[in-house]
Amino acid sequence: MSERSVSVGGAPRVEAPRPLRADAQRNRDKILAVAREAFGDRGADASLDEIAKAAGVGPGTLYRHFPTRAHLHRAVLDDWQVEVAADGERLIALADVEPERALSEWAHSHYEHKSFFRGLHARLLADADDDDTSVLYSCKTALGSAGEGVLERARAAGLVRPEIGYRTVSQLISGIGMVAEQVPDGIDVAGQIGIVLAGIRPAT
């Protein structure tokens, strides 16, 4: 497959690839599905050889589609960003009519999106990847667009204190996520998100 690419945060961004043969596309789709599950269960450093085996392909097939781990990360996160953007549009539209419900749904979906793979909460908090061509920067942008929109409407409705911004709430939710990753028996995620939402409300 002939492709043109530019460097993006250590991994080339593939531009205008030629269509794959049907069998090659099936292999690529299987690899991505397995990688998404593996990264979710074991983190972004999950074994690529194990991913290939679980997808029913050889390591060579995986590396033909994704020459490095960074290429596979980008492909998985590109699909994730499409889901984040669609969910964000839905929540912003909901916030126009039901800002309180939208705020609650956004907080829980924000947690779920940032729990996409083990360790993503911490990676998204780091500023080291804030190069605007990096995949993590584009992930932050996708998440922030929805969060800013929902919180803006919630503040206008008197549901959030005016000094509380998206970054603060996102960091609090990431804190819950990082603890959840470290506690084998799990934590009361919904209860802790509820505490965050109660804490950002204006004093009565």
Side-chain angles (χ1 to χ4, degrees):
M1 179 174 64
S2 175
E3 298 172 336
R4 183 167 56 91
S5 63
V6 294
S7 179
V8 180
R13 174 178 295 176
V14 176
E15 297 179 354
R18 293 179 181 174
L20 295 170
R21 299 190 318 271
D23 59 337
Q25 185 65 56
R26 283 194 298 272
N27 285 338
R28 186 180 190 277
D29 291 345
K30 285 190 293 186
I31 293 166
L32 282 174
V34 171
R36 178 171 181 152
E37 183 175 350
F39 293 156
D41 291 343
R42 300 187 291 281
D45 296 325
S47 166
L48 299 189
D49 287 345
E50 290 181 7
I51 289 172
K53 182 177 180 180
V57 302
T61 298
L62 184 148
Y63 289 112
R64 276 196 298 276
H65 288 287
F66 308 103
T68 68
R69 180 180 296 276
H71 286 82
L72 186 54
H73 285 169
R74 171 165 285 284
V76 170
L77 286 170
D78 280 347
D79 285 348
W80 171 86
Q81 287 179 72
V82 171
E83 296 175 10
V84 170
D87 192 43
E89 291 177 3
R90 177 187 69 83
L91 288 166
I92 290 173
L94 178 63
D96 285 330
V97 292
E98 295 185 68
E100 186 158 19
R101 177 184 165 192
L103 178 62
S104 177
E105 289 193 15
W106 167 77
H108 287 86
S109 69
H110 191 68
Y111 172 87
E112 293 296 334
H113 289 317
K114 295 179 82 171
S115 300
F116 177 66
F117 67 69
R118 189 175 183 85
L120 186 58
H121 283 279
R123 291 181 185 224
L124 289 171
L125 281 177
D127 290 327
D129 265 297
D130 272 352
D131 168 3
D132 64 8
T133 63
S134 75
V135 64
L136 287 182
Y137 182 90
S138 60
C139 288
K140 292 178 184 180
T141 301
L143 287 164
S145 178
E148 292 281 9
V150 171
L151 285 167
E152 177 184 356
R153 288 156 177 79
R155 281 192 294 268
L159 301 171
V160 175
R161 300 203 304 273
E163 72 274 17
I164 301 293
Y166 161 75
R167 184 177 176 86
T168 297
V169 183
S170 181
Q171 288 172 340
L172 289 168
I173 292 173
S174 278
I176 297 170
M178 287 188 287
V179 172
E181 288 178 348
Q182 300 302 317
V183 179
D185 294 333
I187 63 173
D188 180 7
V189 171
Q192 294 196 24
I193 290 177
I195 292 170
V196 170
L197 293 177
I200 65 177
R201 294 183 76 96
T204 55

